[in-house]
Amino acid sequence: MTVNTNANSATMHPVATAINAMRVELQNTFLERRPAIEAMALAILTRQHAFLFGPPGTAKSALCRDFASRFTGATYFEQILSKTRPDQAVLGPYDLPALKEG
């Protein structure tokens, strides 16, 4: 996602202006996390999910918490993944009839 530097904030949609301001604030706080911030902004705009993967202690959870806290009424949850955590703990129970249908 790129910021349109040719358009001033008066011509941009208010949501675009707010998202761009949030992205700049987050990029100033979470240095070297620009790709994650861009992915999260795109995910919120497209009503999709974002998945951050990386080594422990690299501010992924802090970034997600900060990002989610900026939205009124947003719900936030996190799951720590490990080799021993079953798939169902993250993805939910399998739907056997749907699996049979393909």
Side-chain angles (χ1 to χ4, degrees):
M1 182 183 302
T2 59
V3 177
N4 185 353
T5 56
N6 296 330
N8 62 31
S9 60
T11 61
M12 291 176 63
H13 191 279
V15 172
T17 303
I19 293 289
N20 282 335
M22 180 184 66
R23 288 175 48 240
V24 169
E25 289 175 19
L26 288 170
Q27 288 169 3
N28 289 334
T29 303
F30 296 94
L31 305 177
E32 299 183 15
R33 284 282 165 214
R34 184 182 184 117
I37 294 166
E38 300 291 332
M40 292 170 64
L42 184 59
I44 198 77
L45 290 171
T46 59
R47 301 182 79 175
Q48 296 296 317
H49 301 278
F51 181 82
L52 302 183
F53 179 77
T58 55
K60 295 179 302 297
S61 296
L63 172 60
C64 290
R65 285 185 207 111
D66 191 344
F67 187 88
S69 73
R70 295 168 184 263
F71 295 92
T72 304
T75 56
Y76 173 81
F77 79 96
E78 61 185 59
Q79 287 283 331
I80 297 175
L81 303 179
S82 69
K83 293 178 183 179
T84 59
R85 182 173 296 277
D87 294 344
Q88 295 88 348
V90 178
L91 304 173
Y94 293 123
D95 185 354
L96 294 179
L99 288 173
K100 288 179 182 179
E101 292 175 10

